[in-house]
């Protein structure tokens, strides 16, 4: 038995210096569809999804230089993959099981994301990769 | 019209210091299935896929310290997302169109990968993210 029965990969988050400069590769080269732009106030990022069916790349552009995501970008100096997001059916239950198993979390309770409730695991939980869990609103 | 009509995201490649240490998170925490181990001689990596349906994380462990992937890992010092792999129907045709459009490539001709023919675009093509294209053997 695993700690949580994670669902499919929902998206890969990629931090970019500029959405305007990043979008043409996904749209014009790969042929992915660019969705509408979101502003995520608590993370201070502008976000668009590049999608094809169930495949999604989330492009995130920091809107100021002081956020964690802005510092991540400044460290790398160019577009860099930032997190993997996996779907779960019941995020609160998944977080409870993770805490009980000693898995280190960034968010100990679900919070509102673009597509539903989200929570981040600490990168230490996976040896270095930041993992987001998502309970979709329409799930 | 886009340059290529890329198919779904096939996998995300994650470089890890040790498969043995990386696998438990994907298997025991997320509940993903770990496939059999491959050795990719020309890249000098050991590889396993953690999968659930069409969602796949490719875990890559360098087998010596001199390869490009080993240097990538040494720069980061911990498990780090390395590339995105998108499926295409006809890789040779896709590469031709990319070259004609001035997209910078690492591989100008398809080469044999684990699941079919593969080629990498230069990270500059996408503003910093290494992108692999895959024509699946069974496609």
């Amino acid at each position: 038995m695993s700690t949580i029965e994670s669902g499919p990969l929902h998206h890969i988050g990629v931090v970019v210096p500029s959405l305007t400069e990043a979008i043409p590769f996904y749209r014009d080269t790969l042929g992915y569809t660019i969705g509408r732009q979101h502003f995520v106030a608590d993370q201070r990022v502008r976000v668009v999804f590049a999608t094809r069916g169930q495949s999604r790349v989330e492009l995130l552009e920091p809107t100021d230089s002081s956020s964690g995501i802005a510092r991540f970008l400044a460290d790398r100096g160019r577009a860099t993959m930032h997190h993997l997001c996996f779907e779960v059916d019941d995020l609160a239950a998944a977080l409870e099981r993770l805490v009980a198993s000693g898995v280190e979390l960034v968010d100990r309770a679900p919070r509102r994301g673009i597509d539903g409730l989200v929570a981040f695991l600490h990168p230490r939980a996976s040896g270095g990769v930041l993992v987001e869990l998502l309970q979709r609103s329409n799930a």
Side-chain angles (χ1 to χ4, degrees), chain A:
Chain A
M1 276 300 290
S2 63
T3 305
I4 60 175
E5 292 299 325
S6 171
L9 187 73
H10 184 267
H11 67 259
I12 298 91
V14 177
V15 181
V16 302
S18 155
L19 289 180
T20 305
E21 289 173 23
I23 284 170
F25 173 76
Y26 295 93
R27 182 190 59 204
D28 304 334
T29 302
L30 294 184
Y32 270 46
T33 301
I34 306 298
R36 71 183 179 86
Q37 190 173 302
H38 303 267
F39 174 61
V40 182
D42 63 343
Q43 302 291 316
R44 305 202 291 290
V45 285
R46 272 190 285 271
V47 175
V48 296
F49 281 89
T51 64
R52 181 187 188 285
Q54 299 306 306
S55 299
R56 303 175 190 87
V57 179
E58 180 187 36
L59 302 173
L60 307 111
E61 176 194 322
T63 57
D64 72 39
S65 60
S66 65
S67 66
I69 287 178
R71 290 194 302 273
F72 178 90
L73 179 64
D75 282 349
R76 304 309 192 283
R78 59 180 192 175
T80 307
M81 287 181 276
H82 180 258
H83 65 268
L84 296 179
C85 176
F86 296 92
E87 295 183 29
V88 294
D89 288 335
D90 182 337
L91 181 55
L95 295 178
E96 265 183 39
R97 286 195 295 273
L98 290 168
V99 167
S101 301
V103 173
E104 226 176 322
L105 304 178
V106 172
D107 301 301
R108 293 179 66 101
R111 55 190 178 75
R112 182 66 51 191
I114 293 171
D115 287 321
L117 296 172
V118 301
F120 281 87
L121 279 57
H122 196 283
R124 276 192 292 267
S126 64
V129 173
L130 182 61
V131 170
E132 179 181 20
L133 299 178
L134 164 68
Q135 177 185 334
R136 296 176 73 171
S137 298
N138 56 354

